[in-house]
Amino acid sequence: MKILGLESSCDDTACAVVEGGVQVLSNIVSSQDELHEQFGGVVPEVACRAHIQNVLPVIEEAMKQTNVRWNDIEAVAATRRPGLIGALLICLTAAKSVSWALDVPLLAVNHLDAHIYGGWMGEDEPELPAVSMVVSGGHTSLYHTRGPLDHELLGSTVDDAAGEAFDKVAKILHLGFPGGPVMERVAKEGNPEAFDLPRAMMDGKDINFSFSGLKTAVLYHAVGQNASMEDIQNASYTDKFVADMAASFQKAVVDVLVAKTRLAIEQVGAAGLIVGGGVAANSSLRERLSEMAEKVGVQVNLTPWPLCRDNAAMVAGLAHHMYEKGDFADLTVEATP
Ligand code: KG4
Ligand code: ZN
């Protein structure tokens, strides 16, 4: 079965055609990174306008790159929640229109479940039950997973998401937006032990996260206490300082993510580990999680690198399981933030 998927929950407009839940026939992402870079973060109003401009071209391109005809599309899926409300509406409305025009079922997908489903889109099926970690710009959460559509929340961040912390620290260090990929690149030149940064909430059995203190610690090292936006903009750093800070910050984030994931695996007695979301593209995190999984004896399914950041292939893939379950939406379904 071929499903057309659409995604516009934040700042990427995406369309994909996926067969049988795993075979990606096309996967088009129109990124707005350059548009938002001047603001140092995603501006919802700007994102919505760009989604409106990009939605039809990404659908046309996704269809053009396959040999699939419109009549071969058996269902249409779009992200319904969570995300920026205005942004979500654009692909959900487009999906409703296509499903109505083709007279095929509509599937309304949860974006976080779709990130976890990235674990099903690699070579091996995940071992279940699993602990799943979604680590992105908007979320940092651990789940007890019993199937592609069966996730119980175990813990999540009480303040900033890990990706958000990468983005904010990159802004302090004048590295541009989005922060994660450039921080990873710069960190390769730095010493991860150069700065002693905090690892929050590491005592006891709590599997929630906190990253805002870490971001503040970087700010104090870089610019000092009581720094204004102007002080941050006017600060100047040596290349060595930036590389050492990026490396120390990345190590602090990865240490916490790995430790909490291990705790969750031990608490639920998981047989597998699934990891998805934009920050799951980080190679240091991928290596450290794989080492830990081997040590504790669980199978690890990292989302394939090209599907970590927001995309519609994960949406169309998960929708296959919703279709099998009969979990259809009708044209009155609403986006929710
Ligand atoms: O999943 P995603 O594309 O969007 C959300 O659902 O939030 O994740 C975007 C986040 C951004 O914060 C970005 O800085 C981060 O993922 N990111 C990374 C890397 N690539 C993207 N963080 C660390 N290392 C990376 N290589
Ligand atoms: Zn996402």
Side-chain angles (χ1 to χ4, degrees):
M1 180 175 49
K2 298 179 182 74
I3 297 184
L4 181 93
L6 285 158
E7 153 69 39
S8 62
S9 64
C10 188
D11 61 338
D12 294 300
T13 327
C15 183
V17 180
V18 175
E19 183 162 14
V22 287
Q23 201 188 341
V24 181
L25 304 181
S26 64
N27 183 27
I28 307 299
V29 182
S30 171
S31 162
Q32 301 176 12
D33 287 352
E34 278 175 31
L35 205 55
H36 297 287
E37 182 162 17
Q38 58 185 308
F39 306 109
V42 177
V43 181
E45 186 66 21
V46 175
C48 293
R49 282 166 194 264
H51 285 312
I52 291 172
Q53 284 168 349
N54 296 336
V55 63
L56 293 181
V58 297
I59 295 173
E60 277 165 13
E61 190 58 31
M63 287 301 290
K64 206 167 102 189
Q65 286 195 8
T66 63
N67 288 323
V68 173
R69 290 162 306 154
W70 279 109
N71 282 345
D72 298 326
I73 299 292
E74 283 162 88
V76 182
T79 303
R80 178 195 174 192
R81 66 173 297 270
L84 303 172
I85 186 71
L88 286 163
L89 272 174
I90 291 153
C91 273
L92 186 60
T93 307
K96 286 180 184 180
S97 311
V98 178
S99 105
W100 181 78
L102 297 179
D103 195 20
V104 296
L106 173 68
L107 301 136
V109 173
N110 179 306
H111 182 80
L112 303 176
D113 294 357
H115 271 308
I116 296 173
Y117 189 71
W120 268 264
M121 298 192 81
E123 285 179 3
D124 303 315
E125 279 258 325
E127 283 284 338
L128 299 174
V131 162
S132 298
M133 179 163 62
V134 177
V135 64
S136 71
H139 297 86
T140 301
S141 302
L142 288 161
Y143 300 85
H144 187 188
T145 291
R146 297 179 188 86
L149 292 164
D150 185 355
H151 313 293
E152 181 193 336
L153 184 66
L154 297 171
S156 52
T157 181
V158 297
D159 42 52
D160 291 349
E164 188 181 359
F166 266 99
D167 294 336
K168 287 177 175 170
V169 167
K171 197 168 175 177
I172 296 169
L173 298 177
H174 305 166
L175 290 174
F177 175 85
V182 58
M183 288 275 286
E184 176 178 356
R185 208 165 51 241
V186 170
K188 290 201 166 80
E189 313 297 322
N191 171 10
E193 311 298 336
F195 296 98
D196 185 17
L197 298 174
R199 276 91 169 134
M201 301 171 75
M202 292 287 267
D203 302 329
K205 301 279 173 218
D206 191 336
I207 36 185
N208 292 305
F209 305 86
S210 166
F211 294 107
S212 77
L214 173 58
K215 169 200 67 192
T216 307
V218 172
L219 182 65
Y220 287 178
H221 277 288
V223 201
Q225 294 193 19
N226 304 321
S228 64
M229 276 310 288
E230 210 181 340
D231 295 332
I232 296 172
Q233 276 159 9
N234 293 336
S236 65
Y237 317 110
T238 63
D239 289 350
K240 180 169 163 33
F241 176 87
V242 172
D244 285 348
M245 186 55 86
S248 302
F249 169 82
Q250 178 175 272
K251 175 139 194 304
V253 173
V254 171
D255 282 352
V256 174
L257 292 174
V258 173
K260 299 276 177 175
T261 306
R262 181 175 183 159
L263 206 56
I265 289 171
E266 287 164 0
Q267 277 185 18
V268 304
L273 167 63
I274 296 168
V275 190
V279 184
N282 185 282
S283 49
S284 168
L285 179 64
R286 294 173 84 84
E287 277 163 31
R288 295 270 310 279
L289 284 170
S290 301
E291 279 165 25
M292 181 272 288
E294 200 180 329
K295 210 175 283 170
V296 300
V298 300
Q299 175 182 308
V300 63
N301 284 65
L302 302 169
T303 295
W305 193 84
L307 300 182
C308 286
R309 291 190 63 185
D310 287 348
N311 65 86
M314 64 184 189
V315 173
L318 180 63
H320 178 89
H321 296 266
M322 295 171 72
Y323 189 106
E324 287 189 329
K325 214 176 129 193
D327 187 1
F328 302 116
D330 64 34
L331 295 181
T332 63
V333 67
E334 288 180 10
T336 55

